[in-house]
Each structure stands twice: as structure tokens, then as C-alpha cells.
Amino acid sequence: MTDERDPPDIPLQPFPVHRPESPFPPLYESLPPGPGDPYSDWNQNADAHDLPTRENRLAALGRFAFPPAPPLDDEGVAARDRRWTSRTIFVTAAFLLVFNAVSPLNWSRQQPPGWLQGTVQSLSEVWVAQLAVFGVDMPRQGVRDAWMAACDARFLGQEPAPTAP
């Protein structure tokens, strides 16, 4: 056995060489003939869209009783878009009010003392306490705990993270 490779059957040239003969025999010659096409009453000139269709009676009654509305003009489109935007903002605000209820409390603690700050803080404390009964603050607290653990993580031999005063 030698370390050299066998010379290739096809000589290597800068451009590929066309080989008209194939090393693989044609598949259709090695298969037995099939049974042929089964009998069919298919009409070549028929079109599926020409077939008579029967409409659902309930759909026809609904279209008669409730005709489709005319297309919206520019004012209608604008009103629809405003409704969609208002609903989206409302749902987002409600979601944040429930699942991120501690944010107004933290904001009120950072403000200078005053009537507005005291009112927001007292309302927020009650709201957060009521929601904590249902455990809605657990996902936010879990993400915060994971973040604090990542901030406190250190490499081997590295000094510990500074503690907050």
C-alpha cells in the first residue's frame, strides 16, 4: 500500500469535459411496463368553474337580511385606526398597571416630597399590596432577582461586587 492516490479516471483539465455516456443505466429501461392509465370519464374540454354550484341557503338569507356595508371612506378608515390605537394603548396600560405596579411606587419615592408625591406613593403601596396577594408581582421579582444575581456574579479570584449603601 502506498500513500499516493490512484490517478483519476477522468483526466484533470482546466475545464470540465463533456461525457455523453452515462455510467448509470436509464431507469425506465429496467422497470417492467406499468398497467397503463385507468379508465376515466374525464372530459378534456370541461372547466371546473363551469360546474353549477348551489349556494348555502343560510348564507343567502344572511346576505339578504344583513347586506354588506359600503366600503369605508377616509374618515371611516381614520376612525377605525383611532379605535384600534386607543384599544391597544388601553390594553398595554392595563397590562403594565397589573404586572409592573411597582414602577409608580418607585417613581414616587424618587420625587421631592409634596401632595402629588404622597398621594401617588400611598395609592401605589395599597395597589402593590393588593396585587401581591394574587402573586402578580412574582414574574417581575423573578426577573429582578435574576438580574441582581447576574450583576453579583464574579470570576474566580475576582473581588466581590460592591454592596449598595
Side-chain angles (χ1 to χ4, degrees):
M1 182 176 248
T2 62
D3 291 338
E4 295 183 17
R5 300 175 71 181
D6 294 333
D9 294 338
I10 304 171
L12 299 176
Q13 296 179 357
F15 298 105
V17 177
H18 175 69
R19 294 181 60 181
E21 69 282 349
S22 172
F24 304 105
L27 185 61
Y28 60 87
E29 291 179 1
S30 61
L31 294 176
D37 290 337
Y39 171 76
S40 172
D41 59 351
W42 177 254
N43 184 355
Q44 295 288 37
N45 298 328
D47 186 8
H49 300 286
D50 292 340
L51 298 174
T53 57
R54 185 172 181 197
E55 186 178 13
N56 186 350
R57 292 179 184 175
L58 188 59
L61 179 63
R63 193 174 49 255
F64 175 73
F66 306 104
L72 295 175
D73 59 347
D74 290 340
E75 282 185 35
V77 171
R80 183 185 61 199
D81 292 345
R82 280 192 304 270
R83 282 192 309 269
W84 181 87
T85 304
S86 301
R87 289 176 186 155
T88 303
I89 290 172
F90 176 75
V91 167
T92 303
F95 182 83
L96 289 175
L97 191 61
V98 170
F99 292 103
N100 201 14
V102 78
S103 290
L105 181 61
N106 291 339
W107 174 83
S108 66
R109 289 178 178 160
Q110 296 172 358
Q111 301 305 312
W115 178 83
L116 178 65
Q117 180 270 342
T119 306
V120 169
Q121 184 173 357
S122 61
L123 287 174
S124 295
E125 287 172 351
V126 171
W127 181 248
V128 168
Q130 291 294 323
L131 289 177
V133 171
F134 298 111
V136 219
D137 59 339
M138 291 177 66
R140 187 201 59 83
Q141 189 62 35
V143 170
R144 180 167 175 76
D145 291 343
W147 170 253
M148 296 308 279
C151 289
D152 292 340
R154 295 289 180 239
F155 291 106
L156 292 176
Q158 189 178 11
E159 60 189 47
T163 58

